[in-house]
């Protein structure tokens, strides 16, 4: 079970005796016990009776450290210049503190922790934030018909849905709105508009600011720089940050409606794969485009 250390990456070993100990060797022993590379563990402080180590990782599998105190101290006692006593112990301010669990309790704690995480994820992915974009929507020139539609479709299935105030056609502003939704704990974030080929269309670019590896397949290609097309084509975008899913839908209401018809069943099945969802949406919009025999107004 992988867990985020939430920047609490230090381990303190207290009531340990050091005399001519090699700090590099101590780091290697700790790294080996925690199943890490040698360059991922450093001694950041040491004295006659204590050692402070830093783990250079943001996440770890709980199995790598939970209940490992006894093993770690046994291995450290074999290092020249290190004396482990009955009072020697290991502490951390964060989840790494589980290193001191009794070995027989480890699997039970991991199982219960996984159950809690699964429940949190389940609730997280039932919270939706809709972010309409477009200067014309912000100015009130056109009505936002997409947000009520998305809200209705998801709420029918028991989702909690909130709608953001419209955001202007600005890459940074859209990215900030998405990040705010992530911080507020919305597992599914849906933007509408701004996926077209004009210079003003910045929604996919905003998503790639947050997830550089976002899936962004083309729906249609254009000759770049001809007419009003400043980009090579119209894309759809699906990004992911941890468990948080970012979905860029087009602007026209009928296109949004058709996207929801294929998107929601996949989300209901728990399919949050960004590549699959992006290609599914792109395929649906290409199909619509072929039937219409024309271009898109995204």
């Amino acid at each position: 079970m992988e867990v985020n250390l939430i920047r609490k990456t230090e381990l303190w070993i207290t009531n340990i005796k050091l005399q001519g100990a090699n700090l590099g060797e101590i780091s290697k022993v700790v790294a080996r016990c925690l199943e890490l590379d040698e360059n991922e563990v450093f001694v950041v402080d040491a004295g006659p009776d204590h050692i402070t180590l830093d783990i250079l990782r943001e996440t770890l599998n709980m199995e790598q450290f939970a209940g490992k105190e006894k093993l770690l101290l046994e291995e450290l006692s074999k290092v020249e210049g290190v004396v482990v006593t009955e009072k020697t112990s290991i502490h951390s301010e964060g989840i790494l503190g589980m290193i001191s669990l009794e070995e027989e309790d480890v699997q039970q704690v991991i199982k219960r922790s996984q159950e809690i995480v699964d429940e949190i994820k389940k609730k997280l992915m039932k919270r939706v934030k809709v972010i309409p974009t477009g200067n014309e929507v912000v100015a009130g020139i056109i009505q936002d018909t997409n947000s009520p539609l998305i809200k209705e479709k998801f709420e029918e299935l028991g989702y909690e849905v909130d709608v953001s105030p419209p955001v202007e056609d600005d890459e940074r502003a859209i990215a900030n709105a998405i990040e705010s939704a992530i911080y507020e704990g919305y597992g599914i974030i849906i933007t509408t508009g701004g996926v077209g080929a004009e210079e003003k269309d910045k929604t996919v670019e905003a998503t790639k600011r947050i997830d550089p590896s976002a899936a962004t397949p083309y729906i249609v290609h254009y000759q770049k720089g001809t007419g009003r097309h400043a980009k090579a084509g119209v894309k759809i975008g699906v990004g992911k940050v941890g468990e948080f899913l970012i979905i860029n839908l087009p602007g026209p209401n009928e296109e949004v409606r058709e996207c929801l018809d294929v998107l929601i069943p996949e989300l209901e099945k728990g399919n949050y794969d960004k590549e699959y969802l992006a290609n599914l949406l792109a395929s649906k919009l290409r199909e619509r485009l072929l039937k219409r025999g024309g271009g898109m107004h995204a």
Side-chain angles (χ1 to χ4, degrees):
M1 175 184 169
E2 190 167 13
V3 293
N4 194 305
L5 302 182
I6 319 176
R7 300 184 182 178
K8 302 291 186 180
T9 56
E10 288 191 340
L11 287 174
W12 293 278
I13 306 177
T14 57
N15 295 311
I16 192 168
K17 296 180 181 180
L18 303 182
Q19 183 65 47
N22 185 315
L23 297 183
E25 187 61 28
I26 290 173
S27 295
K28 289 179 183 178
V29 168
V30 175
R32 185 167 63 249
C33 290
L34 300 183
E35 302 173 44
L36 296 169
D37 292 336
E38 291 181 3
N39 61 3
E40 291 181 313
V41 179
F42 282 90
V43 174
V44 294
D45 186 35
D49 62 353
H50 73 275
I51 308 169
T52 304
L53 301 112
D54 194 23
I55 312 299
L56 303 185
R57 288 278 293 271
E58 292 184 0
T59 63
L60 284 177
N61 283 316
M62 198 177 290
E63 291 86 348
Q64 288 179 257
F65 62 89
K68 290 283 186 77
E69 181 180 40
K70 183 178 178 181
L71 170 65
L72 201 155
L73 294 180
E74 285 178 356
E75 293 301 310
L76 283 175
S77 69
K78 300 174 185 177
V79 177
E80 185 177 352
V82 176
V83 178
V84 173
T85 71
E86 291 182 358
K87 294 183 178 180
T88 305
S89 60
I90 306 177
H91 310 277
S92 173
E93 289 183 349
I95 197 167
L96 281 173
M98 291 178 67
I99 197 168
S100 60
L101 279 176
E102 295 295 332
E103 291 181 36
E104 58 268 24
D105 295 333
V106 169
Q107 290 306 315
Q108 182 179 352
V109 171
I110 290 176
K111 180 182 178 182
R112 179 56 186 149
S113 298
Q114 186 63 61
E115 290 172 351
I116 293 171
V117 168
D118 290 344
E119 185 62 28
I120 291 172
K121 285 181 181 179
K122 184 178 178 181
K123 291 181 178 178
L124 180 75
M125 302 313 289
K126 279 291 187 177
R127 301 191 74 224
V128 179
K129 187 63 169 281
V130 184
I131 304 174
T133 73
N135 293 338
E136 66 280 11
V137 182
V138 173
I141 296 170
I142 65 171
Q143 184 180 357
D144 173 20
T145 57
N146 291 325
S147 296
L149 171 65
I150 297 169
K151 185 176 176 67
E152 177 187 357
K153 291 289 187 182
F154 276 94
E155 285 186 340
E156 285 176 352
L157 297 170
Y159 289 77
E160 174 190 338
V161 185
D162 290 310
V163 178
S164 163
V167 180
E168 61 186 356
D169 291 313
D170 178 83
E171 183 178 326
R172 187 180 296 275
I174 297 168
N176 288 343
I178 294 171
E179 286 184 332
S180 293
I182 290 173
Y183 295 142
E184 291 166 6
Y186 292 93
I188 300 172
I189 301 154
I190 301 175
T191 67
T192 60
V195 301
E198 297 182 43
E199 181 61 36
K200 70 179 182 65
D201 295 313
K202 298 293 185 182
T203 306
V204 173
E205 288 80 359
T207 294
K208 286 186 72 67
R209 265 180 178 257
I210 299 168
D211 175 13
S213 65
T216 59
Y218 277 102
I219 300 166
V220 61
H221 283 273
Y222 295 127
Q223 183 70 36
K224 186 176 180 180
T226 59
R228 61 190 176 87
H229 301 137
K231 294 185 281 188
V234 177
K235 290 183 174 182
I236 207 73
V238 179
K240 201 169 184 185
V241 181
E243 299 298 323
F244 298 90
L245 192 65
I246 308 162
I247 302 168
N248 305 138
L249 297 183
N253 188 260
E254 285 304 314
E255 291 173 8
V256 170
R257 188 179 297 275
E258 292 193 20
C259 284
L260 294 177
D261 287 343
V262 296
L263 173 66
I264 291 178
E266 294 300 322
L267 298 179
E268 280 288 276
K269 290 189 290 186
N271 185 356
Y272 306 124
D273 182 88
K274 62 185 178 183
E275 295 286 346
Y276 178 86
L277 294 176
N279 286 309
L280 179 72
L281 293 171
S283 177
K284 169 55 77 172
L285 291 169
R286 286 191 211 106
E287 178 185 316
R288 174 182 172 80
L289 184 63
L290 288 172
K291 287 179 180 179
R292 288 174 55 195
M296 290 189 66
H297 304 283

